[in-house]
Amino acid sequence: MNQHILILVLNGLTQGALFFVLGSGLTLAFGLMRIVNMSHGAFYLLGGYMGLTVLRLTGNWTVALVAAGLSIALLGLLVERGLLARIRAGGDLSQTLLTIALSMIIADMALAVWGGHTQSIRSPAALSGPVTVFGFTYPGFRYVLMAISAAIAFGLWLLLYRTRFGIAVRASVDDRETVSALGVRIDIIYSLMFMLSAFLSGIAGVLGGTYLQLSPGEDTTILTYSLVVVIVGGLGSLMGVVVSSLILGQILSFSLAFAPQMSMFLVFVPMAIVLAVRPEGLFGRRL
Amino acid sequence: MTGTLLQGSSLRRLRLVVAIAVVVALVTLPAYGGQYTLTTFIRTFYFGFLALSVGLLLGQGGMISLTQTAFFGISGYVVGLLGAERGFPFPLPELAGLALVAVVALLFALVVMRTHGIVFLMLTLALGQICWSFARQNTSLLHGWAGIPDIQPPSIFGVDLTQNANFYWMSLALFSLGLLFLWRLVQSPFGLALNGIRESPRRMSALGYPVFWLRVAVFVIAAIYAGVGGILAAWSSGIVTPTALQLSRMIWILLIVILGGSQYFWGPVVGAVIAVWLDVIVSQLTPRYNTVIGIVFVVVILLAPNGILGVWERITAKRRALRQVPAAPPDSNQ
Amino acid sequence: MKYKATRTTLAPLVVAAGIIAMPMGASAADEIKIGMLSAFTGTFASFGQLQKEGAVMALEEWNYKVAGKTIKVIYADDQLDNELAVTKAKQLVEQDKVDVVTGLVSGDEGLSVASYMKGKDIPIVPMYSASEDSTMRKWYPFVVRPTWTGAQPMDVFGYWLSKVKGLKKIYMIGEDYSYPYNQAGGFKRGFLRGGGVEVTTVWHPVPTSDYSSIISSIPLDKKYDAVLYNGAGSDAVAFVKQYVEFGMQSKIPLLGQSNTFEKPDLDSMPQQIVGAYSAHLTADDMNTPNWNKFRDAFQKRWQHSPSAASEFAYGSMELILRAIKARNGDVTDKAALAAAMHKVDLSDEPRGPVALDEYNAAIENVYIREVAVGSDGVMYNKGLFTAKNVNQFGPYDSKIYMKQPSDGPSSPPDLRADMPREMLEVAKDYEFVPFGK
């Protein structure tokens, strides 16, 4: 029985790891640019499909992971420069709406190119075997996923708190005008941040496509979970995403085990409670 | 010169003629329109109610609510549960549905009206998703994914609404009434106060307006509009499913309002007509209709952020300027 | 920005444009229209694709011409959503004025459309929608289903597992909607009748992507003989993959419902599941002249092997076209067209001979299959046994059967002890002949 609980906790951690990769990109872009990228789920799905194709061509999972991340980052750059930057004056709402319309297009094009059948990315053989620790077995790839997610968290922390880029980003979040006045090209910061966010969603697509599966409709499911993570954590807060993805992963894992017919409901209720008590989210600043 | 002919009162007269012609065309539609034309207009009406609901909050109150489809669904489900399943006669299920919508909207409003902007948006998203996931996962009462089938529109004063034409006239009348009421509302002191709150809540508060309660009131009114749309939808399609509450539908309605022009009273109506019509036509032309519709939305958001009515206003304003009319007619802007 | 409550000329103009732009269903006299309603986008787009491939093959064999009339197919995308299905059915009926409605993937979708179509007097031929009530408790003579009900193969499967394989207790995990309910219903009836004791059922929302917690909650200490996954499509791929990853396959054997191991989903599953049993109305290694002809033609046209969904679509379209031919291209009398459909000879159906019962439901062979690996290293469903001429009521008397409540999440009961006696004893039960005999 204790082992059962332990496995459920690990399952929750795996889910949480994926949620973190998804949520971190979304929240960072929001913190800086004040837009909620509603194409995040479509980026995820497209990233997964790109990874699938690259894996078929090269046979190398790591190459597929990086290629998917980079191709979605490039897409992010095009979207940011070509579309979002043009209507920045129109405010947050029109940019958010634009990403919604964009997600319709991306998801439909993915269906046209990769078809409607369920596909999944084969995990690298060296990483996918069951690993036995302390007498119980758990799929090896899930440990890998958790490790990658932790590495990304550390990398993001370094980037934000130990680099000039990070200083510029954090300063822009606090006071855009002053930073611009100091000669920092804020539009370049925006583009880089949106690319980073897209890169993370592309990577998440490969991770999710490997341990779960890829099929049409997955974009909406993933977008919904990403939004929950980001909202509960507090829009714009990296720490918030760490905490909320851990919490959400556990809720999902335990509700699927003990009340599968209520699982989705049980995910949204805590979100509403958090928001009712603290509308800005657990770690958000007052907006 | 036509330029002079179309000025001032002549222009107003032309507008009146066009409006009357369209009203006549709409009322007599069952005489010459096909069955599916009627069905599509009925759909426009019930989505129109939902769009008015979103438009009222957005245009008048400056609030983007993602909960409106929940109200659309709640009233539909009550009609299904009490009417189709338990056999209560009209108008009990319908009134019960609207009452429940009002109560839920009031409760939600008490929570969400303490917030603004993106937090408001996200909070309403959360509440909407709770309602949706409940409908989706509750099998004992709401039958989960399957929803509640076999809903029949009633007979009202001996008029059998199962007849498509009768149903069309009823929804046309109801929608007109809804528009009329809304028109009066936005021009009433209540509407003007809302406008003021959107521009500057602090000033309105200082002037002694109960800002919080005014916003709660408009939220409940908007919810009831969505609820009326939900009843029409349940009657018309004969089934209510979790789709009625789905986020994708909510977003679709939001895009409709933007498409028409969220700053305009007529924006949601224009948007609903165009979007429903676009959906019907394009989905028959190509299986990639989602791409086409997505592109249309992208183009509108990029090039016409004030929607189609915004473009129209720009065009007419330019034409007027070219004709060197000394002052813009008073009705072009308020 | 100010809110503009102004009068505008554009609003009425747009409404007027809407009136003018509505397409009218133009109908040519020498044209017969078939409306095909299926999921071409969304989560279930895979099914629409498979159905279309089967239907198009039948149409191409007839060259889109029957008795001098041109066949026009109108595809309508309902995303497998019940409400959208009704909306699209309205389009097919009111605007396109179709003569036959076909397609339909899921059980609820089929029931919703049939409910709307009742009184419209247009024949409906469900291709894959398997809710038994469409041809039972809610049947009307315009519904013709030459394919299946959810319970039909599963009753056979459950009976075989308990009677022949001696299994007593099953742990079933299923998708929470009507088609899996009907499959579970058939399975429970057959399994408990054949001597099984218990079928525990757990339902999960559709879609779910991470099953690890559901899988790790399977009680290994309660002596279940097998786990039956009662789901299909992307859910099945995810479930089966994670079941193997968690090493469950070596602890407790996995069974599937009819669609769990169907191609092309099977291609995305790990090879550790070789040996898993399921029951369906097709098997990938059938070797009859009719099947081989169909399979080769399908392979040639679409470059992959057919699945049950494609075969069902092919057979259903065949039935429609043959009935139109029997009516000599005259489809004005829809009741006569439906009656002609009932009489169509389907003894050459690729998956085996099909006949229709008094409710226009199929009487056909059910195949017990296991997942195997071919010489090319690709997995397929290998036939083991055949139960011949199974009808939708299985071995039961139709009146006793229809007296029971419709299948739902908790009906029929999980335990043999709670099952009504009349459902445990039948006059004559299935006989299993080795596959291919």
Side-chain angles (χ1 to χ4, degrees):
Chain A
M1 196 58 211
N2 277 339
Q3 187 164 323
H4 181 212
I5 300 293
L6 192 58
I7 290 185
L8 292 185
V9 171
L10 280 174
N11 293 340
L13 283 175
T14 319
Q15 283 275 16
L18 183 67
F19 288 157
F20 172 78
V21 181
L22 280 163
S24 56
L26 196 57
T27 213
L28 287 177
F30 175 83
L32 181 66
M33 302 162 71
R34 300 279 139 194
I35 57 166
V36 180
N37 178 15
M38 303 289 267
S39 312
H40 210 62
F43 280 10
Y44 164 93
L45 189 62
L46 192 62
Y49 280 131
M50 292 303 260
L52 186 74
T53 302
V54 173
L55 182 68
R56 278 186 190 148
L57 293 176
T58 65
N60 186 321
W61 187 82
T62 317
V63 171
L65 182 74
V66 175
L70 291 179
S71 57
I72 303 302
L74 181 65
L75 176 69
L77 177 70
L78 294 176
V79 168
E80 209 281 326
R81 283 285 93 199
L83 301 174
L84 296 178
R86 284 169 190 274
I87 52 165
R88 196 150 287 144
D92 319 340
L93 171 64
S94 40
Q95 295 184 57
T96 304
L97 285 169
L98 188 94
T99 60
I100 294 174
L102 201 61
S103 73
M104 283 172 73
I105 302 172
I106 295 174
D108 202 45
M109 290 327 286
L111 176 64
V113 174
W114 282 279
H117 303 316
T118 304
Q119 308 186 64
S120 71
I121 301 173
R122 261 181 221 291
S123 50
L127 303 175
S128 56
V131 176
T132 307
V133 184
F134 301 126
F136 78 90
T137 318
Y138 199 69
F141 183 75
R142 293 181 170 233
Y143 290 118
V144 176
L145 178 57
M146 288 180 227
I148 290 178
S149 181
I152 288 175
F154 183 64
L156 287 177
W157 179 79
L158 279 184
L159 183 69
L160 283 180
Y161 292 91
R162 289 288 180 274
T163 62
R164 281 179 55 91
F165 173 74
I167 294 168
V169 166
R170 284 183 295 130
S172 315
V173 169
D174 290 332
D175 190 346
R176 287 179 222 200
E177 284 74 24
T178 314
V179 172
S180 304
L182 288 173
V184 175
R185 288 284 304 277
I186 197 145
D187 54 332
I188 292 181
I189 305 251
Y190 276 10
S191 294
L192 287 175
M193 184 51 94
F194 200 77
M195 278 176 78
L196 175 65
S197 172
F199 177 79
L200 289 171
S201 64
I203 284 201
V206 177
L207 296 175
T210 307
Y211 102 102
L212 306 170
Q213 83 297 81
L214 298 168
S215 58
E218 202 66 356
D219 50 327
T220 344
T221 317
I222 287 294
L223 174 67
T224 312
Y225 284 133
S226 314
L227 288 175
V228 176
V229 167
V230 168
I231 294 168
V232 171
L235 280 160
S237 162
L238 193 59
M239 192 59 201
V241 172
V242 173
V243 174
S244 70
S245 52
L246 286 175
I247 296 176
L248 198 74
Q250 296 304 336
I251 291 178
L252 206 60
S253 171
F254 278 81
S255 64
L256 275 172
F258 296 111
Q261 277 181 293
M262 294 283 283
S263 53
M264 289 195 285
F265 190 58
L266 288 174
V267 167
F268 293 120
V269 168
M271 167 164 78
I273 294 173
V274 167
L275 289 179
V277 180
R278 245 185 98 80
E280 65 275 21
L282 293 176
F283 289 80
R285 33 171 108 195
R286 290 223 168 260
L287 292 164
Chain B
M1 259 173 68
T2 48
T4 44
L5 277 176
L6 282 176
Q7 277 172 25
S9 63
S10 318
L11 184 71
R12 233 164 284 145
R13 205 173 301 144
L14 175 73
R15 189 172 290 162
L16 193 67
V17 169
V18 171
I20 289 175
V22 167
V23 168
V24 171
L26 275 175
V27 172
T28 55
L29 186 64
Y32 59 88
Q35 286 296 310
Y36 195 59
T37 309
L38 296 187
T39 301
T40 304
F41 267 95
I42 292 169
R43 244 168 103 214
T44 311
F45 294 139
Y46 63 71
F47 282 139
F49 267 110
L50 196 49
L52 286 179
S53 166
V54 173
L56 174 64
L57 289 175
L58 179 55
Q60 189 80 340
M63 300 173 263
I64 304 173
S65 162
L66 296 180
T67 317
Q68 301 316 105
T69 42
F71 303 124
F72 186 83
I74 288 173
S75 62
Y77 267 104
V78 173
V79 167
L81 278 175
L82 297 183
E85 288 201 335
R86 310 239 172 352
F88 285 99
F90 174 84
L92 288 177
E94 288 72 18
L95 291 178
L98 291 181
L100 185 63
V101 164
V103 170
V104 173
L106 179 65
L107 290 176
F108 282 5
L110 293 179
V111 177
V112 298
M113 283 311 170
R114 296 187 292 136
T115 64
H116 298 270
I118 200 89
V119 175
F120 177 87
L121 181 112
M122 289 296 161
L123 198 53
T124 53
L125 170 78
L127 294 173
Q129 289 294 95
I130 287 180
C131 297
W132 168 76
S133 62
F134 184 73
R136 183 72 191 264
Q137 290 203 288
N138 181 292
T139 47
S140 53
L141 185 66
L142 307 180
H143 312 302
W145 193 18
I148 302 177
D150 301 326
I151 299 170
Q152 290 278 338
S155 290
I156 302 173
F157 303 125
V159 179
D160 178 10
L161 293 180
T162 54
Q163 295 298 316
N164 218 7
N166 292 347
F167 194 94
Y168 167 79
W169 278 316
M170 183 274 298
S171 19
L172 175 65
L174 201 59
F175 192 65
S176 310
L177 274 178
L179 277 176
L180 192 67
F181 179 79
L182 206 61
W183 179 260
R184 300 297 293 270
L185 184 86
V186 298
Q187 291 182 330
S188 69
F190 175 71
L192 296 175
L194 280 174
N195 246 330
I197 291 171
R198 195 194 51 188
E199 297 302 320
S200 171
R202 214 168 293 159
R203 192 175 65 204
M204 294 303 279
S205 196
L207 286 171
Y209 283 92
V211 171
F212 177 79
W213 291 106
L214 284 173
R215 282 169 30 113
V216 168
V218 74
F219 193 76
V220 173
I221 292 171
I224 288 178
Y225 267 77
V228 172
I231 293 173
L232 283 182
W235 280 349
S236 167
S237 56
I239 183 168
V240 52
T241 69
T243 315
L245 293 76
Q246 206 161 285
L247 180 62
S248 56
R249 167 159 304 168
M250 186 60 236
I251 284 170
W252 161 252
I253 298 293
L254 194 56
L255 287 171
I256 282 179
V257 174
I258 303 293
L259 179 72
S262 63
Q263 300 304 322
Y264 300 86
F265 178 83
W266 290 99
V269 181
V270 169
V273 173
I274 293 179
V276 170
W277 172 82
L278 196 70
D279 183 46
V280 166
I281 305 277
V282 179
S283 70
Q284 292 181 46
L285 293 180
T286 163
R288 294 274 73 84
Y289 63 97
N290 278 321
T291 301
V292 176
I293 293 172
I295 290 173
V296 169
F297 282 133
V298 167
V299 169
V300 168
I301 296 166
L302 274 183
L303 303 179
N306 289 327
I308 289 165
L309 286 181
V311 174
W312 176 258
E313 193 177 66
R314 234 187 303 164
I315 293 170
T316 46
K318 203 176 279 172
R319 211 188 307 146
R320 259 181 230 125
L322 281 176
R323 290 201 195 99
Q324 295 178 321
V325 179
D331 58 359
S332 73
N333 211 324
Q334 75 162 23
Chain C
M1 251 183 291
K2 283 241 167 64
Y3 183 73
K4 291 158 190 166
T6 61
R7 296 167 188 85
T8 167
T9 330
L10 186 63
L13 284 180
V14 166
V15 177
I19 296 174
I20 297 160
M22 291 309 303
M24 301 283 176
S27 215
D30 55 348
E31 196 173 72
I32 293 171
K33 287 183 180 169
I34 299 173
M36 186 163 164
L37 203 54
S38 191
F40 298 110
T41 67
T43 312
F44 303 91
S46 173
F47 283 103
Q49 202 174 326
L50 295 173
Q51 285 196 330
K52 195 170 175 179
E53 285 171 357
V56 163
M57 224 181 85
L59 289 159
E60 286 180 350
E61 282 178 10
W62 288 75
N63 209 10
Y64 289 90
K65 282 236 181 317
V66 180
K69 303 265 179 105
T70 305
I71 305 292
K72 185 180 176 201
V73 183
I74 296 148
Y75 299 96
D77 177 20
D78 67 9
Q79 300 172 21
L80 220 69
D81 176 272
N82 306 328
E83 189 194 313
L84 197 56
V86 174
T87 305
K88 294 289 173 158
K90 282 187 177 181
Q91 177 205 315
L92 293 175
V93 170
E94 295 175 353
Q95 178 203 289
D96 301 317
K97 309 215 167 26
V98 295
D99 301 296
V100 179
V101 169
T102 186
L104 302 175
V105 179
S106 96
D108 295 317
E109 174 204 24
L111 286 170
S112 314
V113 170
S115 164
Y116 159 72
M117 296 285 288
K118 199 169 182 173
K120 303 279 184 297
D121 291 358
I122 296 172
I124 312 177
V125 183
M127 286 176 168
Y128 215 61
S129 172
S131 277
E132 63 181 20
D133 280 344
S134 300
T135 46
M136 274 191 200
R137 298 171 186 91
K138 292 185 174 173
W139 178 75
Y140 55 91
F142 286 92
V143 180
V144 183
R145 180 160 56 184
T147 50
W148 66 331
T149 69
Q152 204 168 358
M154 291 304 271
D155 189 281
V156 175
F157 189 43
Y159 181 76
W160 179 75
L161 284 170
S162 58
K163 188 77 179 178
V164 178
K165 302 295 281 185
L167 270 49
K168 294 285 178 214
K169 285 175 75 180
I170 301 284
Y171 190 81
M172 182 192 291
I173 298 166
E175 295 174 309
D176 204 357
Y177 72 99
S178 78
Y179 160 71
Y181 297 161
N182 198 200
Q183 286 247 310
F187 184 82
K188 285 179 184 172
R189 282 185 287 274
F191 188 76
L192 302 178
R193 189 179 72 243
V197 178
E198 183 186 342
V199 182
T200 300
T201 47
V202 177
W203 301 105
H204 70 76
V206 192
T208 293
S209 40
D210 194 340
Y211 291 89
S212 49
S213 289
I214 295 180
I215 290 169
S216 35
S217 299
I218 297 168
L220 292 169
D221 53 339
K222 297 237 176 95
K223 304 258 183 313
Y224 285 100
D225 296 309
V227 169
L228 193 157
Y229 183 62
N230 186 1
S234 65
D235 281 345
V237 172
F239 182 92
V240 170
K241 206 172 134 179
Q242 292 169 34
Y243 194 81
V244 169
E245 278 172 4
F246 273 77
M248 294 297 283
Q249 186 63 11
S250 57
K251 294 177 188 150
I252 177 166
L254 180 66
L255 308 167
Q257 54 127 286
S258 299
N259 284 328
T260 308
F261 306 124
E262 269 299 296
K263 280 178 174 274
D265 297 332
L266 186 62
D267 300 331
S268 299
M269 293 181 185
Q271 296 221 336
Q272 282 92 330
I273 57 162
V274 164
Y277 297 125
S278 64
H280 212 315
L281 309 165
T282 61
D284 296 326
D285 63 337
M286 278 192 288
N287 189 15
T288 61
N290 291 332
W291 175 262
N292 292 346
K293 191 174 137 232
F294 168 73
R295 185 201 53 211
D296 294 343
F298 192 94
Q299 183 83 38
K300 190 164 167 244
R301 179 68 178 82
W302 303 110
Q303 276 80 50
H304 60 89
S305 53
S307 74
S310 303
E311 200 276 352
F312 284 19
Y314 174 84
S316 305
M317 192 54 88
E318 240 345 277
L319 170 109
I320 296 169
L321 299 176
R322 287 180 190 186
I324 294 171
K325 188 173 181 215
R327 294 289 304 149
N328 220 346
D330 177 15
V331 293
T332 43
D333 184 348
K334 298 289 191 292
L337 180 61
M341 287 178 177
H342 179 79
K343 288 198 212 100
V344 166
D345 176 21
L346 289 171
S347 57
D348 60 343
E349 174 79 21
R351 67 174 185 270
V354 172
L356 297 180
D357 70 7
E358 54 182 317
Y359 297 94
N360 290 340
I363 305 170
E364 59 199 319
N365 294 346
V366 171
Y367 305 106
I368 308 279
R369 329 166 304 171
E370 71 173 353
V371 176
V373 184
S375 51
D376 54 355
V378 175
M379 289 192 288
Y380 69 101
N381 287 292
K382 179 178 187 296
L384 297 177
F385 295 96
T386 308
K388 292 200 169 164
N389 302 326
V390 178
N391 74 51
Q392 61 172 343
F393 301 103
Y396 299 103
D397 175 73
S398 62
K399 287 193 194 68
I400 293 177
Y401 192 104
M402 288 205 282
K403 221 174 67 191
Q404 313 298 323
S406 295
D407 292 341
S410 49
S411 72
D414 288 359
L415 300 174
R416 181 182 163 91
D418 298 336
M419 202 74 172
R421 276 207 75 74
E422 56 189 356
M423 295 304 284
L424 292 171
E425 288 157 3
V426 297
K428 186 176 175 296
D429 226 308
Y430 307 117
E431 281 168 29
F432 296 100
V433 293
F435 183 73
K437 291 282 157 61

